Amino acid sequence: MHDKTLTELAASLAAGEFTSRELTEHLLGRIERHDGDLNSFITVTPEQALAAADAADATRARGEAGPLTGLPVAIKDLFCTDGVLTTAGSKMLENFVAPYDACVVERLKAAGTVSLGKTNLDEFAMGSSNENSAFGAVKNPWDSGAVPGGSSGGSAAAVAAGLAPAAMGTDTGGSIRQPAAFCGITGLKPTYGRVSRWGIIAYASSLDQAGPMARTAEDCALLMNAIAGHDPRDSTCVARGVPDYRTELAAPLSGLKIGLPREYFGDGLDPAVEAAVREAVAVYESLGATVREVSLPHTHYAIPAYYVIAPAEASSNLARYDGVRFGHRCEAPRDLIDLYKRSRAEGFGEEVKRRILIGTHTLSEGFFDAYYKKAQQVRRLIRQDFLDAFEEVDVLMGPASPTPAFDLGAQKDPVSMYLQDIYTIAVNLAGIPGMSVPAGFVGDRPVGLQILGTHFAEQRLLNVAHQYQQATDWHLRRPKLAEESA
Ligand code: GLN
């Protein structure tokens, strides 16, 4: 059961091969057996999951099942879940039980899915390795010495390990695509505004976007059908019709124009990753696509601009954790200032503090114009690079990450960690959608092909990814888990 895609599981449930309860019990058993090692979940919710599975089976028995009824999913622990611990990977929220569901969670529930629990992540989604979690690092199921990527590392590892057929992630600078690449699964970061951010614990509000992580593009399409669409509670969520993301999956790729950004194949790219990506591009040529080089000339400004804008927004968003209304509160505060200071000093981890300091500095009087405003101007140029490229080509392709998954503990300083996102971050600054699709291995570590499209081109991206998955089998490879016997 756990090797099946979401789409295959939906067919099995519809055919009565097994029930949602049987499937849910099976996956809960796997989590129990394997997650001690992997640490991909912060909270597992067996009772709620089994109750939801029974409800889904009853819905099906009444003949009222929809495409997602009874399908298990895991949720990044950044989405508020009514009555369930929601930690954001932080000690600050280690006791926070959310009083409501995020919009995405609400929609997944309404579609009849079964949440297995909440997945591990870098604290407040800040990181590229899942090592910045107050709940411990997550291991890569392909190689326990490697990181799963971040910040949605728990979601990626859980799907890769067959603990959940799909999971929700968020992507502020690469956090869906990079862990998907490192764990050999498929991830989609939608256009900014396509999916409601309501009820997702905010990191950098102008960049954050939720999206699906699953085995295949087809499964991502299925989940997008449930989660995309207008929500008046998020003022940046776009009021625009939601297509059935599955309808274009089978469209032929003849005539597809692919652009390879010159800047994504330069210094720092692991030659073995480059070889895998170029081989994937050759598959597209055999499917009838044409390929040309394009340029995104402001690419090298993306990381500096992001590390001004994202910390600035984070410093503002994280101001609410003051020990007063919810979250960690220090023992016996002397006065209000002491309460603020010690609650924040004790609750936040090192990387989060670093970003609050940077953000507070760049937003302060006298520095705002030099840093924040300048970064926003650079952001505009980065966006324009993409728009110019999409005048010439339909999609852009390149690596999702310069290397395969690195070793746990390998990135010793924050800047080398920041540089990991060189190919993903500009996409969030521009607000366009992007995917990572399994495209080979370096040794036993997966490589992700990144596919980018213009705003609201999700259907096209899913089509392009799906056709590749019809022609290759990288997405079908599974890691061998430690004590797996059967
Ligand atoms: N690694 C980037 C950061 O630390 C992006 C994280 C994300 O997309 N949430 O900010």
Side-chain angles (χ1 to χ4, degrees):
M1 281 185 223
H2 56 266
D3 275 341
K4 293 192 182 214
T5 66
L6 216 49
T7 307
E8 289 165 347
L9 289 170
S12 296
L13 290 174
E17 287 166 32
F18 43 79
T19 62
S20 176
R21 171 170 267 268
E22 286 164 340
L23 173 59
T24 303
E25 280 174 347
H26 175 73
L27 294 171
L28 289 169
R30 283 183 65 76
I31 294 171
E32 176 91 35
R33 277 197 303 287
H34 299 293
D35 207 46
D37 250 16
L38 280 178
N39 200 28
S40 68
F41 281 85
I42 291 175
T43 305
V44 185
T45 51
E47 278 135 56
Q48 289 98 322
L50 291 171
D54 288 341
D57 287 331
T59 302
R60 188 173 302 282
R62 289 196 304 273
E64 291 165 9
L68 285 163
T69 302
L71 293 174
V73 294
I75 313 273
K76 184 180 187 177
D77 206 13
L78 198 64
F79 292 81
C80 284
T81 42
D82 191 7
V84 175
L85 195 63
T86 298
T87 68
S90 182
K91 185 173 178 221
M92 184 57 91
L93 293 177
E94 73 184 341
N95 294 318
F96 176 62
V97 175
Y100 61 91
D101 281 327
C103 175
V104 164
V105 173
E106 235 172 46
R107 288 183 180 174
L108 287 171
K109 276 188 185 169
T113 65
V114 171
S115 171
L116 298 167
K118 311 287 296 289
T119 53
N120 206 339
L121 69 158
D122 286 300
E123 185 176 0
F124 288 100
M126 297 175 188
S128 308
S129 70
N130 218 127
E131 290 165 299
N132 298 334
S133 165
F135 299 86
V138 178
K139 289 181 185 164
N140 190 314
W142 289 94
D143 183 338
S144 59
V147 302
S151 64
S152 311
S155 288
V159 173
L163 309 185
M168 282 296 132
T170 64
D171 191 314
T172 304
S175 281
I176 288 176
R177 290 160 288 153
Q178 186 252 24
F182 280 11
C183 290
I185 65 163
T186 306
L188 166 65
K189 181 207 94 76
T191 306
Y192 183 76
R194 178 74 293 192
V195 176
S196 170
R197 291 181 295 107
W198 193 79
I200 301 172
I201 294 174
Y203 163 19
S205 307
S206 76
L207 301 158
D208 298 342
Q209 186 63 197
M213 305 174 79
R215 298 234 159 86
T216 64
E218 189 175 26
D219 288 357
C220 288
L222 194 59
L223 289 164
M224 280 297 286
N225 283 351
I227 64 172
H230 185 232
D231 172 16
R233 297 165 297 184
D234 170 3
S235 61
T236 63
C237 187
V238 177
R240 175 181 172 121
V242 179
D244 179 341
Y245 287 100
R246 291 170 306 176
T247 53
E248 299 294 319
L249 290 173
L253 297 189
S254 52
L256 177 77
K257 286 185 268 175
I258 298 174
L260 303 183
R262 186 178 310 143
E263 295 78 8
Y264 287 22
F265 292 88
D267 280 353
L269 176 59
D270 180 329
V273 171
E274 172 166 4
V277 168
R278 294 213 185 263
E279 226 171 277
V281 172
V283 171
Y284 279 103
E285 287 182 293
S286 75
L287 296 173
T290 58
V291 180
R292 56 187 290 185
E293 193 180 83
V294 297
S295 178
L296 302 170
H298 298 95
T299 296
H300 59 292
Y301 295 120
I303 290 194
Y306 175 92
Y307 279 100
V308 172
I309 294 168
E313 295 182 11
S315 75
S316 163
N317 278 326
L318 271 56
R320 74 190 67 174
Y321 304 102
D322 55 8
V324 175
R325 285 155 298 187
F326 63 99
H328 178 75
R329 175 182 290 194
C330 67
E331 293 286 334
R334 280 193 316 279
D335 53 30
L336 187 63
I337 299 298
D338 186 48
L339 168 75
Y340 290 160
K341 276 190 177 166
R342 281 201 292 124
S343 299
R344 288 170 68 81
E346 292 165 10
F348 288 136
E350 196 184 330
E351 183 60 28
V352 173
K353 285 179 189 158
R354 179 178 298 119
R355 299 205 189 184
I356 292 173
L357 287 174
I358 295 170
T360 307
H361 177 71
T362 58
L363 289 178
S364 56
E365 166 104 47
F367 294 99
F368 181 86
D369 284 355
Y371 292 113
Y372 189 75
K373 201 165 150 214
K374 187 55 79 184
Q376 292 289 22
Q377 288 164 341
V378 172
R379 178 178 193 169
R380 173 79 203 203
L381 296 173
I382 289 168
R383 177 184 149 99
Q384 196 56 47
D385 281 356
F386 283 110
L387 297 183
D388 291 346
F390 289 126
E391 291 285 316
E392 295 175 39
V393 296
D394 302 312
V395 293
L396 296 170
M397 288 187 189
S401 170
T403 65
F406 43 86
D407 289 345
L408 284 152
Q411 309 299 333
K412 303 268 184 252
D413 65 283
V415 173
S416 63
M417 189 70 87
Y418 299 169
L419 291 171
Q420 294 301 318
D421 298 319
I422 178 84
Y423 305 133
T424 50
I425 263 180
V427 170
N428 301 72
L429 291 169
I432 59 171
M435 289 188 77
S436 179
V437 176
F441 289 84
V442 176
D444 57 2
R445 300 187 186 184
V447 173
L449 168 73
Q450 186 174 216
I451 311 172
L452 307 176
T454 197
H455 297 98
F456 297 101
E458 284 82 0
Q459 246 178 323
R460 189 58 159 158
L461 292 186
L462 289 162
N463 160 233
V464 169
H466 178 71
Q467 289 306 309
Y468 178 71
Q469 294 183 330
Q470 298 305 105
T472 59
D473 67 356
W474 301 117
H475 61 291
L476 300 176
R477 310 285 176 97
R478 302 279 178 266
K480 193 109 194 74
L481 299 186
E483 65 286 8
E484 198 150 47
S485 43

